């Protein structure tokens, strides 16, 4: 008789789910804050959470249905003191996405992500996690020429304070986890192979993380990935050896690391084994949103077993490599495909849990 599983391997999504086509069509025509969108947003969030729960996801998100226009600039979208010609994110298929540029101080968020939690928690029957953008990503809004009467140092103070406020509001409302999206970490190595930019991002984000207690940091995580937009990446060619040693210097309790889409998973796992700190849980990516192939539960199970050779099961979790649609108008993956992959992640993680627990 098989022994009952005693080990639990937590599994969590990253955040975004492709928006329903009617919502995408509608917000192409009106402003993102147009009240005529409210019902569509609400329907999309309700449907997203129902589908998460239907596939047995023990932790859900609102699918970032209302994060307009993306995971990165939702908090500053529509600010009057910005211009559209900010930092460009170049993707491997040649397309770019552009951030806003700050034109004058003071820097304040227009909205905090806990407003999304308010809605999601009305519908969810299981824990809800919330992703927020990192200070390092938003630091790219400050122009290379200084803003008169608003020095960069003042901007950084304001940015850290806004970010801290956002995380505290999410924690207070009961977010299962608050995940800091740090996709620009790997991109930083591509932009600056010397590692200087990456280190400055790590230092900045640690200034923010240091404001939280050890207890709070157990509910805070960091997500790294090579980017995902229209099934294209921005930094998949950067070796994890250039990123992960610095990444684990971040004072966070959880790491959500894209792994399924890596060309050499064991190479990455060896680096994780070497640099992970004892109090850091690693959620490895077991499904790849940019790959149209829908993973089977058995494939996921085998990836979890592979990861367990390098990471103690008590410190292991599973996730998707990235959100399924970090930018709201990305239609390269359907909702059906996203939830089929999530179902495989949940089932495959359970299968591995049964095997490891029964050892
Ligand atoms: Zn990602």
């Amino acid at each position: 008789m098989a022994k009952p599983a005693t080990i639990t391997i937590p599994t969590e999504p990253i955040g975004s789910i492709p928006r329903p086509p009617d919502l995408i069509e509608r917000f192409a025509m009106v402003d993102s804050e147009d009240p005529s969108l409210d019902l569509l947003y609400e329907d999309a969030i309700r449907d997203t959470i129902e589908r998460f729960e239907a596939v047995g996801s023990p932790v859900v998100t609102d699918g970032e249905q209302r994060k307009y226009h993306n995971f990165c600039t939702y908090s500053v979208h529509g600010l009057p003191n910005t211009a559209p010609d900010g930092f460009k994110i170049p993707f491997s298929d040649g397309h770019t996405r552009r951030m806003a540029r700050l034109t004058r101080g003071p820097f304040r968020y227009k909205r905090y992500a806990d407003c999304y939690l308010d809605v999601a928690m009305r519908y969810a029957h299981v824990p809800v996690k919330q992703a927020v953008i990192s200070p390092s990503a938003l630091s790219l809004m400050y122009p290379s020429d200084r803003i008169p009467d608003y020095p960069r140092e003042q901007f950084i103070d304001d940015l850290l304070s806004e970010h801290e406020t956002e995380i505290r509001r999410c924690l207070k409302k009961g977010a299962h986890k608050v995940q800091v999206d740090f996709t620009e970490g790997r991109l930083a190595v591509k932009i600056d192979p010397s590692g200087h930019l990456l280190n400055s991002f790590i230092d900045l984000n640690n200034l923010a993380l240091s404001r939280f207690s050890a207890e709070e940091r157990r509910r805070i995580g960091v997500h790294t990935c090579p980017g995902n937009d229209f099934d294209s990446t921005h930094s998949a060619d950067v070796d994890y050896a250039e990123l992960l040693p610095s990444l684990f210097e971040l004072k966070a309790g959880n790491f959500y690391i894209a792994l399924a889409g890596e060309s050499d998973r064991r190479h990455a796992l060896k680096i994780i084994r070497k640099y992970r700190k004892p109090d850091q849980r690693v959620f490895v990516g077991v499904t790849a949103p940019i790959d149209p192939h829908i993973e089977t539960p058995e494939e996921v199970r085998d990836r979890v077993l592979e990861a367990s050779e390098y990471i103690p099961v008590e410190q292991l979790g599973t996730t998707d490599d990235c959100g399924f649609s970090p930018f709201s108008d990305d239609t390269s993956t359907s909702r059906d495909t996203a939830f089929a992959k999530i179902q495989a992640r949940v089932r495959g993680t359970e299968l591995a849990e049964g095997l490891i627990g029964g050892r």
Side-chain angles (χ1 to χ4, degrees), residues 14 183 223 225 321-323:
I14 291 297
T183 186
H223 166 53
C225 68
D321 269 8
C322 192

Side-chain angles (χ1 to χ4, degrees), residues 9-145:
I9 301 175
T11 189
E12 298 179 12
I14 291 297
S16 64
I17 296 291
R19 282 63 162 178
D22 55 343
L23 177 60
I24 294 177
E25 246 170 63
R26 186 73 196 142
F27 66 45
M29 294 187 282
V30 298
D31 179 83
S32 59
E33 300 285 302
D34 192 292
S36 74
L37 287 172
D38 284 350
L39 268 181
L40 285 175
Y41 278 131
E42 192 87 10
D43 273 358
I45 294 162
R46 182 188 41 74
D47 184 67
T48 299
I49 291 172
E50 279 177 11
R51 295 190 70 171
F52 259 124
E53 293 187 353
V55 298
S57 192
V59 176
V60 302
T61 71
D62 69 348
E64 306 189 351
Q65 304 297 285
R66 204 155 186 160
K67 269 192 182 171
Y68 187 91
H69 173 264
N70 57 59
F71 72 101
C72 183
T73 58
Y74 66 89
S75 60
V76 297
H77 180 80
L79 281 180
N81 55 338
T82 59
D85 58 342
F87 179 80
K88 260 192 213 164
I89 308 170
F91 285 85
S92 55
D93 66 355
H95 86 281
T96 58
R97 294 283 194 175
R98 197 147 203 188
M99 293 177 69
R101 170 176 60 88
L102 193 69
T103 54
R104 60 177 194 280
F107 176 78
R108 298 284 182 270
Y109 282 13
K110 191 166 161 84
R111 58 190 72 74
Y112 301 104
D114 66 292
C115 67
Y116 307 127
L117 271 179
D118 290 335
V119 182
M121 287 176 126
R122 283 212 308 272
Y123 293 111
H125 303 87
V126 296
V128 182
K129 78 182 275 191
Q130 182 61 52
V132 302
I133 192 57
S134 65
S136 53
L138 292 180
S139 73
L140 296 167
M141 289 179 69
Y142 195 89
S144 44
D145 297 332

